[in-house]
């Protein structure tokens, strides 16, 4: 596989904007037919966007959080499923940056620059809670490992070249094993049936005696032993996706009202777009979207500042800023996607138009982690100066 190598932030944003417009055209039909976006992901890989966080010393553009968040916002405004697929890709690129040896970084960064994709085999179902990881990484006499376990919500795995698998070693510490998609004993099952994000293929990964060389295993537990931004970056991208969903829903609602909605007979107006009550509501919804976008930009700036001077305090400030952005973005995505029907009228509920995909995507994506706990951490930080925990979800 070969891919274009993006030079800088400006080129990354230009490429993302162009791809978003390209992907927007088929988003509704892909969702309706549950047609998985293999061709679109190949375009994404070939564009070089999936390698934009590769460090400059390894040949990458090394773009910052502001640019990365904007890339995800642009893609999600066109197709939220497609935007969600590479979210874990960038999270596990960060693990390589932080915990990989020089040889591991050299190998995987070359893979990324050639267009290879990372997936995700992280979450498990039926356990006590989200951090109760039961997949096991057992050592072998020659220094290699064997993986056994079952993963769910494995977004990106079906389309990946490498699948990062979160597992616990004999000492119960977390590691990430980077497993090739075609490894013997690894099975990716396309059994995702969520009401939204239908084409993410976030199904099941089964690992039965999967052999992993020692140099494909990274000590993820070390990520959380000092100030870290792993969770802040991952959550920033989730917030950017929610903001993109809100913006995409608002844009489609405005287009529908301008071109298809009829004015309410009591208004005495010729077009729905002239109705002052609708104008008022669109203004309110636009404020929701703008507030979410502003908080995402502010959060990205806080993450960049913390990257430049990483301390317990700067990491805490970044996590809290991202938490605030995620709360507001989640609220905006659900409210705006729901209000689309309120402002557009009865015809907008036709299943054939598939405008409900925005609400379904928003309602599904915002379930990743509860915003109520983010509000708790924000309150504790503001009132008592309590730093948020280092668990990677904040």
């Amino acid at each position: 596989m070969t891919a274009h190598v993006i030079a800088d932030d400006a080129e990354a944003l230009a490429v993302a904007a162009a791809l978003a417009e390209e992907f927007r055209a088929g988003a509704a039909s892909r969702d309706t037919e549950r047609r998985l976006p293999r061709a679109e992901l190949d375009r994404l890989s070939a564009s070089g966007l999936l390698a934009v966080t590769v460090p400059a010393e390894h040949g990458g553009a090394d773009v910052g959080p502001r640019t990365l968040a904007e890339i995800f916002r642009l893609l999600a405004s066109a197709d939220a499923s497609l935007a969600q697929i590479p979210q874990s890709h960038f999270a596990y690129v960060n693990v390589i940056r932080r915990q990989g040896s020089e040889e591991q970084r050299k190998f995987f960064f070359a893979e990324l620059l050639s267009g290879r994709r990372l997936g995700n085999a992280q979450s498990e179902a039926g356990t006590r809670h989200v951090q109760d990881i039961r997949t096991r990484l057992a050592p072998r006499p020659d220094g290699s490992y064997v993986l056994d376990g079952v993963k769910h919500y494995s977004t990106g795995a079906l389309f990946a070249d490498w699948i990062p698998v979160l597992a616990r070693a004999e000492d119960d510490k977390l590691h990430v094993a980077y497993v090739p998609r075609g490894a013997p004993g690894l099975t990716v099952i396309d059994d995702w049936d969520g009401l939204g994000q239908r084409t993410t293929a976030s199904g099941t990964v089964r690992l039965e005696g999967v052999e992993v060389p020692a140099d494909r295993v990274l000590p993820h537990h070390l990520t959380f032993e000092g100030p870290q931004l792993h969770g802040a970056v991952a959550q920033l991208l989730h917030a950017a996706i929610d903001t993109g969903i809100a913006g995409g829903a608002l844009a489609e609602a405005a287009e529908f009202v301008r071109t298809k909605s009829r004015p309410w007979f009591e208004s005495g107006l010729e077009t729905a777009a002239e109705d002052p009550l609708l104008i008022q509501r669109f203004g309110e919804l636009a404020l929701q979207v703008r507030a979410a976008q502003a908080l995402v930009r502010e959060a990205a700036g806080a993450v960049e500042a913390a990257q430049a001077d990483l301390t317990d305090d700067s990491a805490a400030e970044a996590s809290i800023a991202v938490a605030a952005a995620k709360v507001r973005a989640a609220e905006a995505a659900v409210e705006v996607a729901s209000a689309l029907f309120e402002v557009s009228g009865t015809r907008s509920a036709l299943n054939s138009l598939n405008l409900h995909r925005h609400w379904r995507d928003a309602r599904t994506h915002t379930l990743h982690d509860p915003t109520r706990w983010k509000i708790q951490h924000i309150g504790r930080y503001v009132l008592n100066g309590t730093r948020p925990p280092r668990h990677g979800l904040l």
Side-chain angles (χ1 to χ4, degrees):
M1 181 183 294
T2 58
H4 173 68
V5 178
I6 287 174
D8 53 29
D9 293 67
E11 184 184 5
L13 291 173
V15 170
L19 283 178
E21 287 308 305
E22 180 182 323
F23 296 157
R24 192 185 312 278
S29 62
R30 282 192 298 273
D31 177 90
T32 297
E33 301 164 15
R34 198 177 178 269
R35 189 171 72 249
L36 300 182
R38 297 181 187 275
E40 289 76 15
L41 285 170
D42 286 343
R43 289 278 292 120
L44 194 62
S45 291
S47 75
L49 275 183
L50 297 183
V52 292
T53 59
V54 170
E57 60 267 28
H58 288 272
D62 203 6
V63 306
R66 285 186 178 92
T67 295
L68 190 60
E70 181 63 6
I71 289 169
F72 272 80
R73 188 195 69 79
L74 288 166
L75 294 175
S77 72
D79 185 337
S81 287
L82 190 53
Q84 178 59 31
I85 291 170
Q87 189 272 341
S88 292
H89 169 97
F90 285 99
Y92 285 103
V93 171
N94 281 345
V95 175
I96 296 168
R97 289 190 65 146
R98 187 172 174 89
Q99 302 303 338
S101 67
E102 182 56 34
E103 284 303 309
Q104 287 170 327
R105 289 196 293 267
K106 181 178 179 180
F107 173 80
F108 279 110
F109 291 152
E111 287 284 280
L112 296 172
L113 289 169
S114 71
R116 306 291 183 196
R117 294 192 289 266
L118 305 183
N120 148 48
Q122 177 172 294
S123 295
E124 299 179 10
T127 57
R128 290 186 304 116
H129 52 70
V130 71
Q131 293 205 327
D132 180 18
I133 302 298
R134 300 183 183 178
T135 298
R136 291 297 161 184
L137 190 66
R140 303 176 74 197
D142 63 0
S144 65
Y145 297 89
V146 174
L147 268 174
D148 286 283
V150 180
K151 298 291 187 176
H152 299 269
Y153 313 117
S154 301
T155 304
L158 190 68
F159 314 108
D161 299 290
W162 291 90
I163 301 177
V165 180
L166 195 61
R168 293 194 184 275
E170 283 189 319
D171 57 6
D172 213 37
K173 291 183 178 178
L174 279 176
H175 291 70
V176 177
Y178 289 74
V179 182
R181 170 70 173 79
L186 184 151
T187 306
V188 181
I189 305 168
D190 179 21
D191 57 359
W192 171 242
D193 66 346
L195 67 88
Q197 294 194 295
R198 289 177 172 173
T199 61
T200 59
S202 302
T204 301
V205 171
R206 295 189 179 276
L207 305 141
E208 299 173 308
V210 178
E211 298 180 7
V212 186
D215 61 359
R216 297 294 177 260
V217 177
L218 279 69
H220 193 31
H221 60 95
L222 297 179
T223 300
F224 308 104
E225 291 187 2
Q228 53 82 31
L229 298 169
H230 178 80
V233 173
Q235 291 292 309
L236 177 67
L237 301 186
H238 281 308
I241 291 169
D242 288 339
T243 304
I245 293 172
L250 183 63
E252 192 145 11
E255 176 65 15
F256 193 93
V257 170
R258 283 193 299 265
T259 60
K260 297 181 177 65
S261 294
R262 296 182 298 177
W264 183 242
F265 72 96
E266 291 179 285
S267 71
L269 298 168
E270 291 297 317
T271 67
E274 298 174 278
D275 186 338
L277 299 180
L278 280 179
I279 289 170
Q280 175 73 19
R281 188 63 176 130
F282 269 96
E284 293 167 350
L285 296 174
L287 287 175
Q288 290 272 14
V289 174
R290 284 175 175 265
Q293 290 173 345
L295 283 173
V296 167
R297 286 193 295 269
E298 179 184 278
V303 174
E304 287 193 0
Q307 286 178 337
D309 181 20
L310 187 58
T311 66
D312 285 331
D313 287 337
S314 66
E317 181 59 35
S319 287
I320 292 299
V322 171
K326 182 65 170 67
V327 171
R328 177 53 63 204
E331 291 172 347
V334 173
E335 178 175 347
V336 175
S338 177
L340 181 155
F341 304 100
E342 169 198 335
V343 297
S344 300
T346 305
R347 186 180 175 189
S348 65
L350 292 177
N351 196 53
S352 59
L353 296 176
N354 198 17
L355 293 176
H356 49 71
R357 74 184 184 282
H358 299 291
W359 182 87
R360 290 187 287 99
D361 286 341
R363 187 62 282 173
T364 303
H365 183 256
T366 55
L367 297 176
H368 268 87
D369 47 276
T371 56
R372 60 186 177 273
W373 275 97
K374 296 183 187 301
I375 295 171
Q376 282 284 309
H377 291 306
I378 294 169
R380 291 169 185 169
Y381 183 74
V382 171
L383 184 59
N384 298 315
T386 305
R387 295 189 189 111
R390 296 171 177 162
H391 52 43
L393 294 173
L394 196 65

